[in-house]
Amino acid sequence: MRKIVYAALLFGALAGAAGCVNVKPWEREYLADPIMQSDYNKEEKSVREHFLGTREGSVGSFGVSGGGCGCN
Amino acid sequence: MAAIKRIVAAGAFAAITLSAPGNASAEDYSKVEGYIHSFNNNVSVYSGVFALNKDVDLDTSVYFKYNIDLINPDTGGDEGDVEGGDDDDEGGEDDALNKSRAVSAVSGASSAVSSAGGSSATDTRHALTLGASRNFNNIIGAEAYLDYSAESDYRSLTPTVTLKKDFFEKNTTLTLGYSRNMDTVSGRFMDNAEDKTVDNFFVGVTQVLSPFTIAQIGYSRNQSSGFQSEGIRLVPVDGVTADTCTDETATCVEEVFPETRSRNAYLAGVNHYFSGGLLDRSSIKLTARYYNDDWDITSYTGDVEYYKYLSEEWLLRLNYRYYTQTAAFFVKDSYSSVDEFKSSSPQLEALDSNLYGAKLAYLFKEGEKISDTVSLGTIEGKYEYYTETIGVNAHIIMAAIRLIF
Amino acid sequence: MGIAKTIVSGLLLALCMISPALAGIVNSKAPEFTLQDLSGKPVSISDFRGRVVFIDFWASWCPPCKKEFPELNSFIKRYEPNAVVLAVNVDRKRSHVDDFLSRMPGLSGNFHVLLDAESKIIPAYGARAMPTSYIIDREGVIRFAHYGYRDDDAGEWAAEIESLLK
């Protein structure tokens, strides 16, 4: 688990430090579109994940959030 | 190498604590969804969802959801053909087995159908979710949810906590989550109710790659202990066939699973928005997941969703999902009474599945009011087709309306 | 010594990553610009020298902006004619601006919407969130900055503007 948390931190640190990504707040119009949101239709996602989770042998479906308009 | 690791970790930690994060509030909405899951064995599940999301202030929102599933297996008439099973017989052992697969596993709700034919009854599952989210002084965001579900032979209580932190000018979001399922199982073949506890841990990172693209990676770990079966299926042993296995006897026994289970899932995804050209105002989301556990099940999932604004009012979504898994180490074609573990669970077999879907949504113009405080948001309908190589297919129909207030 | 080196190196790395966010524009001269208003007329920030200027960068796709906009429009009325709002919009499409405004109450006399569809001005002001606002004194120096919008911001705005009107 520590390795995974560390890897996540590393991923973020590298992305920032490399300066490869610096999307400004005013450039996020498309990311703010509902079709780009991870929690758009979250009720539908929940029903589907439950249906699939009871039919198939694997689970692991926490939502990853982020992106979006980056407002406030 | 160790020194570099420490430096980067320290830097990342400092960046996290020194930079400004926070989550904006979500929209106030109410949503009603209705589903029909219709299986090829004349089993249908009717589901309804009511959800409400409300901003208390710009930093806090609360969430409520109620879900009901009603299973309606067909108890009379022709059993019908089942495609793709090991045997091609109409009715009999294979069809009865597939019927139980459909009924017992479709919504988490079980019915009184045993592993082979027998009488069946409807069952109802109720589920309730209460949640709240808050942005604390622009330092960190937190969400807490409590899920409760109940049906005739299964109860589950699950608290969940999620922490979210944005950094690097909100281009990166770190998510940490924990939940604990506290389940009580009391299947019809069990003498006493049994408990099961599942601890779930999750970590994920979302990275904005450009004004058009977001990527995600995630890892979840799931530790389960206690009664791992459902107590609703029997396993024929010592040469007995499934169609004669209707009540518990010396040769028709309860399932026995290991008492613990450890699971890992790794997720990666990318979401891209197209602007201009033929694909203008559309997006594609690709997700891949790898899973393994200590029951030796390994699975791969590939998912694609494509959204396209057909006009200002109409939004189309096409989706496809492929899934393949190996069988648990103790799954066999037939069992003897001395086998330590025994399973009739279709979930634990080797299988492939495909899910194809299309959804159309009508988007009302913002501010199209139906009362002083309530506006129309969207009306949508979808059709999906799900098929498994172990012989069950399902048509899924959904209709929903979303109101904004 | 090894630990100290690690901490210092880590902090330096962190600063490299976040230093653009820390660098501020407060107490520097407000960058000069000319943008068109809703009727196409050119408006320059220097037109308002001698008055307190509340410059607000916003977009129709920004949920907190939807809450801030009517609050700000109503708030600034009481300071007419000594203070003005220049609400600089960065939407790419004019139709989105018009849709947004059609759902808002009428604009106050000292509330001016300006259009920066190509986001030429906002980088000079270094907005760190949407919305971002700055309060500029009568001499054209940025004195206060607000990144994002909170429910209790109007109280802060009032105190800040009144301190500059003295």
Side-chain angles (χ1 to χ4, degrees), chain C residues 75-137:
Chain C
F75 165 82
I76 203 63
K77 266 187 221 176
R78 73 182 94 150
Y79 298 105
E80 192 171 16
N82 299 311
V84 298
V85 166
L86 301 182
V88 179
N89 172 269
V90 297
D91 276 83
R92 288 181 172 89
K93 288 189 175 168
R94 174 64 190 263
S95 59
H96 294 169
V97 182
D98 293 337
D99 275 345
F100 180 97
L101 293 175
S102 70
R103 293 188 297 277
M104 293 290 151
L107 300 179
S108 302
N110 56 341
F111 189 105
H112 306 276
V113 174
L114 305 180
L115 305 173
D116 186 16
E118 289 168 27
S119 297
K120 287 190 172 146
I121 306 307
I122 192 171
Y125 279 79
R128 289 191 225 163
M130 291 301 288
T132 285
S133 53
Y134 302 98
I135 301 180
I136 303 164
D137 69 16

Side-chain angles (χ1 to χ4, degrees), chain B residues 54-69:
Chain B
K54 177 87 180 96
D55 285 342
V56 174
D57 56 40
L58 275 169
D59 291 320
T60 312
S61 62
V62 292
Y63 183 77
F64 167 82
K65 185 176 72 171
Y66 171 69
N67 192 144
I68 182 168
D69 296 323

Side-chain angles (χ1 to χ4, degrees), chain B residues 211-260:
Chain B
F212 305 92
T213 313
I214 304 168
Q216 299 117 20
I217 57 170
Y219 167 74
S220 69
R221 170 86 174 171
N222 176 298
Q223 294 280 159
S224 184
S225 60
F227 189 78
Q228 302 297 316
S229 175
E230 291 170 308
I232 58 170
R233 280 178 290 262
L234 297 174
V235 182
V237 297
D238 298 335
V240 167
T241 56
D243 57 349
T244 61
C245 192
T246 55
D247 289 301
E248 205 168 348
T249 64
T251 52
C252 190
V253 301
E254 283 183 53
E255 291 183 306
V256 180
F257 293 168
E259 286 183 357
T260 61

Side-chain angles (χ1 to χ4, degrees), chain B residues 5 21 179 250 354-355 392:
Chain B
K5 280 185 190 175
S179 72
N354 291 276
L355 177 75
V392 176

Side-chain angles (χ1 to χ4, degrees), chain B residues 22-23 28 48 90 110 115 148 167 177 196 200 211 227 247 258 321:
Chain B
N23 302 308
D28 289 349
E90 243 181 84
S110 62
S115 62
Y148 175 73
F167 45 98
K196 181 172 92 171
N200 305 283
F227 189 78
D247 289 301
R321 176 184 181 272

Side-chain angles (χ1 to χ4, degrees), chain B residues 105-283:
Chain B
V106 78
S107 74
S110 62
S111 83
V113 173
S114 69
S115 62
S119 65
S120 58
T122 59
D123 196 5
T124 307
R125 174 177 175 265
H126 303 271
L128 197 63
T129 300
L130 293 171
S133 64
R134 180 153 176 89
N135 172 11
F136 290 95
N137 295 323
N138 244 359
I139 296 171
I140 200 160
E143 293 181 357
Y145 286 90
L146 187 64
D147 289 273
Y148 175 73
S149 69
E151 55 199 275
S152 62
D153 55 7
Y154 206 105
R155 276 180 173 63
S156 178
L157 183 67
T158 305
T160 304
V161 175
T162 306
L163 297 177
K164 293 177 199 178
K165 174 84 179 181
D166 293 320
F167 45 98
F168 308 130
E169 294 193 33
K170 297 186 196 287
N171 283 294
T172 308
T173 302
L174 176 67
T175 305
L176 298 172
Y178 169 74
S179 72
R180 186 171 176 98
N181 297 75
M182 295 172 283
D183 298 351
T184 302
V185 190
S186 51
R188 71 186 287 252
F189 297 118
M190 294 167 63
D191 296 328
N192 301 300
E194 300 280 354
D195 292 335
K196 181 172 92 171
T197 303
V198 186
D199 289 301
N200 305 283
F201 303 90
F202 176 80
V203 59
V205 175
T206 299
Q207 179 65 51
V208 173
L209 298 180
S210 78
F212 305 92
T213 313
I214 304 168
Q216 299 117 20
I217 57 170
Y219 167 74
S220 69
R221 170 86 174 171
N222 176 298
Q223 294 280 159
S224 184
S225 60
F227 189 78
Q228 302 297 316
S229 175
E230 291 170 308
I232 58 170
R233 280 178 290 262
L234 297 174
V235 182
V237 297
D238 298 335
V240 167
T241 56
D243 57 349
T244 61
C245 192
T246 55
D247 289 301
E248 205 168 348
T249 64
T251 52
C252 190
V253 301
E254 283 183 53
E255 291 183 306
V256 180
F257 293 168
E259 286 183 357
T260 61
R261 190 172 184 184
S262 296
R263 310 160 107 162
N264 304 286
Y266 305 82
L267 179 84
V270 65
N271 202 353
H272 179 81
Y273 190 97
F274 298 98
S275 176
L278 274 176
L279 298 177
D280 185 42
R281 297 194 74 211
S282 70
S283 72

Side-chain angles (χ1 to χ4, degrees), chain A residues 4 6 9 12 21 28 30 33 41 43-44 46 48 50 53-58 62 64-65 70, chain B residues 5 29 63 65 105 107 168 170 206 208 263 289 309 317 321 323 325 347 353 359 382 384 386 388:
Chain A
I4 302 302
Y6 185 82
L9 285 172
V21 183
R28 296 176 74 121
Y30 299 124
D33 195 307
N41 290 319
E43 290 80 21
E44 182 194 350
S46 174
R48 179 193 289 171
H50 187 74
T54 54
R55 295 215 59 77
E56 297 164 353
S58 57
F62 262 97
V64 192
S65 60
Chain B
K5 280 185 190 175
Y29 72 86
Y63 183 77
K65 185 176 72 171
S107 74
F168 308 130
K170 297 186 196 287
T206 299
V208 173
R263 310 160 107 162
R289 188 185 69 167
Y309 286 100
R317 184 192 76 196
R321 176 184 181 272
Y323 175 85
Q325 75 175 40
Q347 280 184 321
S353 73
K359 185 164 95 164
K382 85 167 178 186
E384 288 180 325
Y386 177 80
E388 285 177 355

